[in-house]
Amino acid sequence: MQVPLFDLKAQTAQLREEIDAAIARVVASGHFILGPEVEAFEAEMAALCGSRFAVGMSSGTDALLASLWALGVGPGDEVVTTPYSFFATLGSIARLGARPVLCDVEHGTLNLDCARAAALCTPRTKAFMPVHLYGRVARLEVLRAAYPQVPIVEDAAQSVGAERHGVRAGATASPVACRSSPRRTWGRSATAAWS
């Protein structure tokens, strides 16, 4: 028996009419980039995450990159993050000429160990970049308590809608990058960055 690596047929079948209607609206409008459907997605994403804004991006890597770039991250800077992530996390840091500072994960959650991450902060640290995994939000309050002046760029791709102490992933950070593909826990293809 062959088991597919990834198969969303059952989920797609449940949403077929809604998906077909959305595709038809995009084709009829001619707005294949930006337009009312993207604006609606951005508004829904912002509401879901409890943030003021959401901005659709071309890819998750670009969402991370734009978030770091907006913070002025560049050569000589450090970004404390986890090695337990998709390569776009480290790649976005390196692309800007900054140095990724790798911190271990917590045993129970596999999220960035925020206490250890805070201990790795130096005068060159420009941002923290935790990756919320498997619907669990990293302990951002630890980073905020230790270094309130250092921005946090959240990668919330695998925890959209998740909460910690009543606060949603992406609701309290500076820029937040959420990248998703059909294989992620979100179960559909979309990418956004919000703040």
Side-chain angles (χ1 to χ4, degrees), residues 128-178:
F128 293 107
M129 188 186 286
V131 179
H132 306 306
L133 290 174
Y134 314 118
R136 294 182 172 182
V137 179
R139 298 181 314 125
L140 302 181
E141 67 275 7
V142 174
L143 296 175
R144 282 199 185 84
Y147 290 96
Q149 76 282 10
V150 177
I152 300 172
V153 176
E154 296 177 52
D155 181 337
Q158 295 212 11
S159 296
V160 172
E163 295 182 2
R164 178 174 170 76
H165 303 307
V167 179
R168 295 247 168 128
T172 62
S174 306
V176 177
C178 165

Side-chain angles (χ1 to χ4, degrees), residues 10 17 19 30 33 69 80 86 91 105 112 123-124 132-133 142 147 150 155 157 159 173 193:
E17 288 182 24
I19 292 169
I33 299 172
W69 179 76
V80 180
F86 184 65
V105 297
L112 181 72
R124 291 186 307 276
H132 306 306
L133 290 174
V142 174
Y147 290 96
V150 177
D155 181 337
S159 296

